[in-house]
Amino acid sequence: MLIVKKFGGSSVANKERIFNVARRCIEEYRSGKDVVVVLSAMGDTTDELIAMAEDINPRAKKREMDMLLTTGEQVSAALMAMAMQALDVPAVSLNAFQVMMHSTSRYGNARFKRVETERILHELDSRKIVIVTGFQGVNKYDDVTTLGRGGSDTTAVALAAALHADRCEIYTDVDGVFTADPRVVKNARKLDEVTYDEMLELASLGAKVLHNRSVEMAKKYNVELVVRSSLNYSEGTVVREGADMEKLLVTGVAADKNTARISAIGVLDKPGIAFNIFDTLAKNNINVDIILQSVGREGTKDISFTVAGDDMEHAIEILEKNKKRLTIKEVSCNPNVAKLSVVGAGMMSNPGVAAKMFEALYNSRVNINMISTSEIRITVLVDEKDIDKAMNAVHDGFAMGE
Ligand code: ASP
Ligand code: MG
């Protein structure tokens, strides 16, 4: 039996926690299993390294950034091997180069292409615990790359898939995936299970427990994930395909405050205008989320859409620059909005979920600015000041805490 265990930065933040993780892994090892451990950098190391780089050169090349950031994971992996050795257990730490975790060349946001297993299997064969640096890859130029913030989860899943592991456990400082952010919603409850699709929606909606791409990859290779705490032995949340699961109408509610609304007012009401607007934004790498178009009047209409908060200035700049060609009379914006979403695989087969959500919002007098839906998600745009109230109202409206 082979298990991949991934521990986040807070789980290895200091000596005491490193030994805590070491002991947990050793228990598993002593019960006869093969254990592969994936680690993040200790505590806030990655943030501190980024700050150091900014201090030296705010326009540092991405290649050098990756050279710098990958050191964080190498520190925790080496220290973990030393801790296990101090407890008289054979362990070996390996970086992405030693394992050969091949990635695309894109520094700062690389993706795995292929992961070799020979070295790891060889070390496991000699009954060692194998510790692998998370978050990093090696590209075709033999340079180290990083996978984007939070990428260690993806390293764990990639290894679990390549090694055909029996389990992939993601250890963090919370007990699992919750129906809502427990810091905001008092009645939030830990979920026993979620489907990959629900987790993907929740992850991209700002429930930051798992790196989005780790869930995509787990789904693709059918790797069963467990999200659980490194600080206690409670069971955590299982993420897997939902066939035999009891599909809850609504599984969770998530909020995303990093959102802004932009409106292009008075554009010509004729074919090709929407295409031109969104094509122009896309070519400038701006991701658009919810789109709303007003009914035309006197040959013109308004098109509103949301973008990530950090993209707002750039998006406005682009629209202003192309105002004439895009037939826009005026561009307006509102940064003080937030997205609220409910997610649930059971929505597919049950009508009335949207109505129920809107009712809960109405009951607490929260106004809805925009609406968008997918098969298993309903998202509304509300004023940012209302978001906590709205989240509680919707959570309790669906009795998610029970
Ligand atoms: N240390 C990296 C980060 O902070 C990767 C990770 O923790 O998953 O983003
Ligand atoms: Mg993380």
Side-chain angles (χ1 to χ4, degrees):
M1 178 134 171
L2 194 160
I3 299 188
V4 175
K5 291 161 133 13
K6 181 260 169 181
F7 295 86
S10 59
S11 302
V12 291
N14 54 41
K15 176 178 169 186
E16 194 194 325
R17 295 224 173 150
I18 287 177
F19 273 103
N20 168 54
V21 167
R23 284 197 194 90
R24 257 190 116 131
C25 296
I26 289 170
E27 273 167 35
E28 205 92 76
Y29 168 85
R30 291 229 162 102
S31 75
K33 296 179 191 109
D34 287 327
V35 180
V36 174
V37 184
V38 174
L39 296 181
S40 291
M42 295 168 68
D44 298 326
T45 303
T46 307
D47 290 329
E48 286 159 16
L49 290 170
I50 291 172
M52 278 168 80
E54 268 164 10
D55 190 32
I56 298 275
N57 180 352
R59 280 173 316 212
K61 285 214 162 51
K62 289 205 165 136
R63 180 194 179 278
E64 303 309 330
M65 283 307 289
D66 283 0
M67 194 66 189
L68 179 70
L69 296 189
T70 48
T71 62
E73 271 66 17
Q74 199 156 321
V75 169
S76 40
L79 292 176
M80 184 59 67
M82 292 176 198
M84 290 177 179
Q85 289 159 5
L87 297 170
D88 286 327
V89 173
V92 60
S93 64
L94 300 172
N95 63 19
F97 226 106
Q98 293 163 319
V99 174
M100 285 318 276
M101 304 198 68
H102 303 278
S103 79
T104 55
S105 8
R106 183 133 169 227
Y107 303 105
N109 196 18
R111 286 170 178 263
F112 284 126
K113 283 167 51 180
R114 191 165 51 85
V115 173
E116 293 187 22
T117 55
E118 203 183 315
R119 177 71 188 266
I120 294 181
L121 292 174
H122 173 76
E123 302 288 358
L124 289 174
D125 264 352
S126 56
R127 275 308 277 160
K128 284 191 189 123
I129 297 182
V130 179
I131 302 151
V132 181
T133 50
F135 181 51
Q136 54 184 259
V138 179
N139 70 13
K140 64 179 177 208
Y141 309 112
D142 280 352
D143 281 341
V144 283
T145 55
T146 62
L147 308 176
R149 297 305 305 269
S152 297
D153 297 339
T154 299
T155 305
V157 175
L159 285 173
L163 295 162
H164 303 289
D166 298 278
R167 243 191 5 246
C168 183
E169 302 175 335
I170 309 285
Y171 287 83
T172 170
D173 54 1
V174 292
D175 283 353
V177 183
F178 281 73
T179 51
D181 184 342
R183 285 166 303 186
V184 179
V185 177
K186 190 173 91 262
N187 298 330
R189 175 177 60 85
K190 196 206 80 193
L191 292 158
D192 295 332
E193 300 182 327
V194 284
T195 68
Y196 293 121
D197 287 331
E198 287 171 334
M199 196 61 234
L200 276 171
E201 294 278 12
L202 289 169
S204 60
L205 293 168
K208 295 198 176 55
V209 247
L210 286 176
H211 196 226
N212 222 344
R213 272 159 42 205
S214 72
V215 186
E216 273 168 28
M217 196 183 282
K219 179 179 159 134
K220 185 165 167 196
Y221 295 101
N222 207 17
V223 174
E224 189 170 302
L225 290 177
V226 184
V227 181
R228 58 190 301 189
S229 169
S230 65
L231 307 171
N232 61 48
Y233 279 80
S234 77
E235 295 238 345
T237 304
V238 179
V239 188
R240 62 181 170 93
E241 207 49 83
D244 56 336
M245 263 193 217
E246 177 190 8
K247 293 210 177 87
L248 293 176
L249 190 56
V250 162
T251 308
V253 48
D256 186 357
K257 294 187 191 170
N258 179 25
T259 300
R261 181 184 55 74
I262 296 179
S263 299
I265 298 171
V267 300
L268 282 185
D269 193 7
K270 62 167 201 191
I273 296 293
F275 161 62
N276 277 326
I277 290 178
F278 293 112
D279 183 53
T280 306
L281 292 167
K283 285 193 171 126
N284 283 281
N285 265 324
I286 291 184
N287 250 320
V288 170
D289 189 20
I290 314 177
I291 299 175
L292 187 75
Q293 181 175 297
S294 72
V295 180
R297 58 181 141 65
E298 290 158 20
T300 71
K301 63 190 173 188
D302 306 333
I303 297 178
S304 300
F305 54 90
T306 61
V307 295
D310 343 303
D311 279 344
M312 185 183 80
E313 301 283 337
H314 188 201
I316 292 173
E317 199 182 298
I318 288 158
L319 293 182
E320 289 287 354
K321 233 179 11 207
N322 294 281
K323 225 169 161 178
K324 253 225 173 81
R325 180 171 64 83
L326 302 173
T327 75
I328 301 171
K329 285 213 184 73
E330 197 190 315
V331 180
S332 77
C333 70
N334 182 359
N336 302 316
V337 290
K339 277 188 296 191
L340 178 78
S341 305
V342 294
V343 173
M347 269 181 217
M348 275 190 276
S349 44
N350 285 285
V353 176
K356 194 155 181 180
M357 179 182 190
F358 303 158
E359 183 188 8
L361 292 169
Y362 164 70
N363 285 338
S364 52
R365 300 293 179 267
V366 173
N367 192 38
I368 301 171
N369 296 318
M370 286 166 116
I371 302 167
S372 93
T373 63
S374 82
E375 255 189 333
I376 63 162
R377 172 184 54 76
I378 302 164
T379 302
V380 296
L381 194 73
V382 301
D383 287 347
E384 193 169 319
K385 67 170 173 32
D386 289 336
I387 189 71
D388 288 359
K389 181 168 78 171
M391 201 159 162
N392 274 286
V394 170
H395 185 270
D396 294 342
F398 282 103
M400 283 185 229
E402 278 142 41

